[in-house]
Amino acid sequence: MGYSQAIGRIGSILAPTLIAFLLSTGMDPKVAFATFALPSIIAAVGYILVQEKHGSFDRVVKEDNEEVESEKTVTI
């Protein structure tokens, strides 16, 4: 958790700096911000497509690591 927060902190420091460098070169502001929007959209699509394999609220695991369907459904 700490590493992900550190990477986010680094990104929050570097992003405005990189935007300033791009804008100082005379690049159109729409194009400069689009250069940051495209990777963000790709990452969002990646998060949506990832399927969770190990975290399931409707399964009970016995001590010998066999998965068994639970009779109850856990609702949050």
Side-chain angles (χ1 to χ4, degrees):
M1 189 71 169
Y3 286 117
S4 63
Q5 289 179 346
I7 296 296
R9 183 64 56 123
I10 292 169
S12 68
I13 293 169
L14 289 179
T17 306
L18 291 175
I19 284 286
F21 284 136
L22 289 175
L23 293 176
S24 68
T25 63
M27 183 181 285
D28 185 35
K30 290 179 184 178
V31 175
F33 286 108
T35 59
F36 282 90
L38 186 62
S40 299
I41 292 170
I42 292 170
V45 170
Y47 282 129
I48 290 170
L49 295 177
V50 169
Q51 296 179 357
E52 190 171 340
K53 293 181 181 180
H54 301 290
S56 179
F57 292 110
D58 62 343
R59 295 186 183 268
V60 176
V61 179
K62 290 185 177 180
E63 289 185 20
D64 57 353
N65 292 332
E66 291 181 21
E67 287 187 7
V68 178
E69 289 292 329
S70 174
E71 294 180 13
K72 294 181 186 178
T73 303
V74 177
T75 58
I76 297 176

